[in-house]
Amino acid sequence: MGAAGVSLLTGLFVAARVAIWFLSPDRSVPVAWLLPIWTGSALALVHAIWLLDRSRRNATDRASRLVAAAWLLLTGAAVWLWPYALQPDVHPAAMLLCWGSWIGLPAACAAGSPDGSPIRGRVALYLRPLGWSVLLLGVVSAGIYLQQIRSYAGGVDFFFLICNARDMLEAPDQIALNAYRYFPGAYAFWRTVMALGGQQLAWLQAAVIVVAVVNATLCSAIVVRLTRHLAAGVFALLWCLALSSRYQGFTGVMEPLATLPFLAGLLLWGGVPLRGRRGLACALLLGACLGCSLWFKQQAGLLSLGALWLVVNWRLAPAERRHELPPLCLLPLSAVASFLLLILSEGHGWQPLRQGLSMLGSYPAQGSWWHNLYVQVRGDELAFLSAGMVVVSLAWIVLSASRRARWLGQPWLEVTGFCLLAAAATLLQFRTRAYGHYMLLAVPPLVVSAVTLAARQAPRHLGSLSQHPLRWFLVAGSALLLLWYPAGAPASWHIWRVTSPANLASHQLWHRQAAVAADLRELARQIARGETLYVLPPRHHSVHYLLGTRSLEPWGYGFRMPELEQMPWQQFDAVLLLHGGLDESDRQVWTPGQQAEASRILARSGFRPVAQLRTMRLYRRQLEEAQPERGER
């Protein structure tokens, strides 16, 4: 294709875009601004056509032709998607494709140069700082997001945990053992946080952010140790934060606490063969960390199923990289022993264990397993696509004798396989509910396995950056989609924009609604700290934490609606009925009919309303008539 052909095609594309602009009902952007954009995009597209034609004529390898075809598709999409690229909040993928067609043009030009041309090395010098600039932009953007999301951190589970932890510190002899329907690790964590920095809500919210950052940092450290690739580690950190923001990772739930010891164990182990004295020590540490994860949450025990990959190694790996049987037997023993010791350290014997196990059997299911999984897939389709690619890649390795001999038993593959099985096992949780925060158990092992596998295998399939810059650019751009894609969640973090308060509106805490906040300030003048209070519906534990009230043994703080007729109302100092500021979950269990019924039952139980506020009504027990003093007539 000569200069005349290039000029003709470029002119045709630009003329077509101008005609479409004139026919469009929306011409808010002046055509003079768009002409340079259209011209540059058209040049990129024409060059892509020439590159594909050249690769076909020169009978180059299939990989080069596929790269040229992919570049042509990208530039073709960029030419027609430019109007949408001007709306990044609505069409972020269009923005990435269009800017990528310009930024990647030097790499495409280098791909069209002869093999061994020095221009390819010069383009590599351009791509390396470009990649690091994007990663550093992501780190800055993530830091700003974490600063903004801190005041929104929390949720019903968070206040449930910190209310129990506060009571365990202030009145340990009055704790309702019903609190231990969740294993006590989370309470121990929040007791420690309160002992170190106090019980101010802002301090506890900061701890939620720190836990998420430490999880992401551990993922990054594992990837760097296994791949010796710092850029891959930074990418793992950013991707872990992005997925956490999309699956309720900043609501103060227990899953991020449970993954901390799991990731610490993987980092300490590092995938080395469990052989000899070092293998025994690694198995002991890894098992202890798995037991600690279970101590934080019952379902975190599913992460331990990742150890089944060690059995694959024991059966199929070459002899010099094969795990030995004694460390494999020690690992589950260490996990069980550490878990039981941690349970006993709570000081209530085996009661926390019995309560926690009974909770697992009594949790009612909602929806089918496949529907609940589908809900998670829609939360981030690209994450599940990445998981599928990891599954295919590991099967490709395990099912080939030559590839098993080459890679099975190597540290990076051991950790990748362990993490993949652990992440897959956590999907069993969705047999009961479709809660997004259940995915937080799977996020860190998914990130570690996918990034490690990609970083180890990419050089083998793509060649060197200095010889194949366009291949690397396309693969890196595809990976950037994982950080760019908003997954329909405006409050989640994306690398391409700074989150505004309007985006975080869906994360607004219940007690910070204007009407609710005003009512709570009024209640603070009418309720003394330490009084026993029952709240209906019972899931809004922020009332207890902000007012300093407590629930009553043996009911404790809970989520499920009680049988109103069977409650011993006389044992409570006050009862609070909520009727405003409720969300859909509240309205499903707390209907106007139930509110009226609760008012009638409280009246029969000797309660009367003492404060009628905009969103809530406070009831107190009527004091019995004062009895005449002895001797009076």
Side-chain angles (χ1 to χ4, degrees), residues 496-539:
W496 51 272
R497 64 172 169 81
V498 175
T499 305
S500 67
N503 299 127
L504 296 175
S506 61
H507 276 242
Q508 182 70 275
L509 296 175
W510 173 81
H511 69 272
R512 286 192 175 153
Q513 299 177 67
V516 174
D519 289 351
L520 290 176
R521 287 193 295 269
E522 175 62 29
L523 284 181
R525 293 192 285 267
Q526 302 192 34
I527 297 180
R529 295 185 65 86
E531 283 194 286
T532 57
L533 175 71
Y534 200 84
V535 181
L536 287 171
R539 62 194 291 265

Side-chain angles (χ1 to χ4, degrees), residues 44 94 155 178 202 260 284-285 293 301 328 399 424 430 490 517 606 616:
N178 196 31
L260 288 176
L284 185 66
L285 288 172
S293 290
L328 293 182
L399 296 178
F430 297 106
M616 55 193 73

Side-chain angles (χ1 to χ4, degrees), residues 214-215 218-219 221-222 225-226 257-272 274 278-279 281-293 303 310 331 334 411 414-415 418-419 444 448:
V214 173
N215 266 287
L218 287 172
C219 289
I222 294 170
R225 178 178 180 182
L226 296 174
L257 298 175
T259 54
L260 288 176
F262 171 78
L263 293 171
L266 292 180
L267 182 61
L268 292 172
W269 168 43
V272 298
L274 300 179
R278 183 183 181 186
C282 287
L284 185 66
L285 288 172
L286 181 58
C289 289
L290 294 176
C292 188
S293 290
L303 293 170
L310 305 181
L331 191 148
S334 173
E414 291 304 293
V415 174
F418 193 109
C419 286
V448 170

Side-chain angles (χ1 to χ4, degrees), residues 44-50 52 66-78:
L45 177 59
V46 171
H47 181 272
I49 295 173
W50 171 83
L52 181 60
L66 288 175
V67 168
W71 176 246
L72 177 60
L73 289 174
L74 188 151
T75 54

Side-chain angles (χ1 to χ4, degrees), residues 335-389:
V336 172
S338 63
F339 169 68
L340 295 179
L341 287 174
L342 288 169
I343 288 290
L344 292 175
S345 70
E346 190 70 11
H348 292 286
W350 301 115
Q351 186 69 18
L353 179 60
R354 287 193 292 267
Q355 289 281 352
L357 294 179
S358 66
M359 172 66 178
L360 285 177
S362 63
Y363 209 53
Q366 292 182 357
S368 68
W369 186 22
W370 293 110
H371 175 266
N372 294 342
L373 279 176
Y374 173 74
V375 173
Q376 310 316 312
V377 172
R378 293 307 306 270
D380 195 320
E381 295 90 343
L382 294 181
F384 279 85
L385 178 62
S386 302
M389 295 172 67

Side-chain angles (χ1 to χ4, degrees), residues 164-428:
N164 279 299
R166 177 201 63 185
D167 292 356
M168 290 174 182
L169 286 175
E170 296 179 350
D173 57 332
Q174 300 178 18
I175 295 301
L177 292 180
N178 196 31
Y180 291 116
R181 57 185 178 273
Y182 299 106
F183 282 164
Y187 304 135
F189 172 83
W190 287 114
R191 291 199 303 266
T192 303
V193 172
M194 291 177 181
L196 292 175
Q199 298 180 10
Q200 296 82 5
L201 183 58
W203 164 251
L204 302 181
Q205 289 176 311
V208 173
I209 304 301
V210 169
V211 168
V213 173
V214 173
N215 266 287
T217 304
L218 287 172
C219 289
S220 176
I222 294 170
V223 170
V224 171
R225 178 178 180 182
L226 296 174
T227 65
R228 308 296 180 188
H229 201 304
L230 182 58
V234 176
F235 181 84
L237 183 146
L238 296 176
W239 191 23
C240 186
L241 288 176
L243 289 177
S244 296
S245 72
R246 295 166 192 171
Y247 288 109
Q248 305 174 0
F250 301 110
T251 57
V253 290
M254 290 170 276
E255 286 84 355
L257 298 175
T259 54
L260 288 176
F262 171 78
L263 293 171
L266 292 180
L267 182 61
L268 292 172
W269 168 43
V272 298
L274 300 179
R275 301 172 63 86
R277 302 176 102 183
R278 183 183 181 186
L280 290 171
C282 287
L284 185 66
L285 288 172
L286 181 58
C289 289
L290 294 176
C292 188
S293 290
L294 177 59
W295 179 56
F296 278 105
K297 185 175 175 66
Q298 291 96 314
Q299 291 90 333
L302 295 170
L303 293 170
S304 301
L305 295 180
L308 293 175
W309 182 264
L310 305 181
V311 179
V312 175
N313 170 288
W314 179 60
R315 297 292 297 174
L316 300 176
E320 67 276 8
R321 298 196 299 267
R322 186 177 300 165
H323 301 311
E324 293 179 346
L325 192 57
L328 293 182
C329 295
L330 178 62
L331 191 148
L333 295 177
S334 173
V336 172
S338 63
F339 169 68
L340 295 179
L341 287 174
L342 288 169
I343 288 290
L344 292 175
S345 70
E346 190 70 11
H348 292 286
W350 301 115
Q351 186 69 18
L353 179 60
R354 287 193 292 267
Q355 289 281 352
L357 294 179
S358 66
M359 172 66 178
L360 285 177
S362 63
Y363 209 53
Q366 292 182 357
S368 68
W369 186 22
W370 293 110
H371 175 266
N372 294 342
L373 279 176
Y374 173 74
V375 173
Q376 310 316 312
V377 172
R378 293 307 306 270
D380 195 320
E381 295 90 343
L382 294 181
F384 279 85
L385 178 62
S386 302
M389 295 172 67
V390 175
V391 171
V392 172
S393 299
L394 287 186
W396 178 74
I397 292 173
V398 172
L399 296 178
S400 168
S402 61
R403 288 188 284 270
R404 285 202 305 269
R406 181 177 180 181
W407 289 315
L408 197 58
Q410 292 193 9
W412 68 268
L413 187 59
E414 291 304 293
V415 174
T416 298
F418 193 109
C419 286
L420 180 65
L421 291 185
T426 63
L427 299 182
L428 293 173

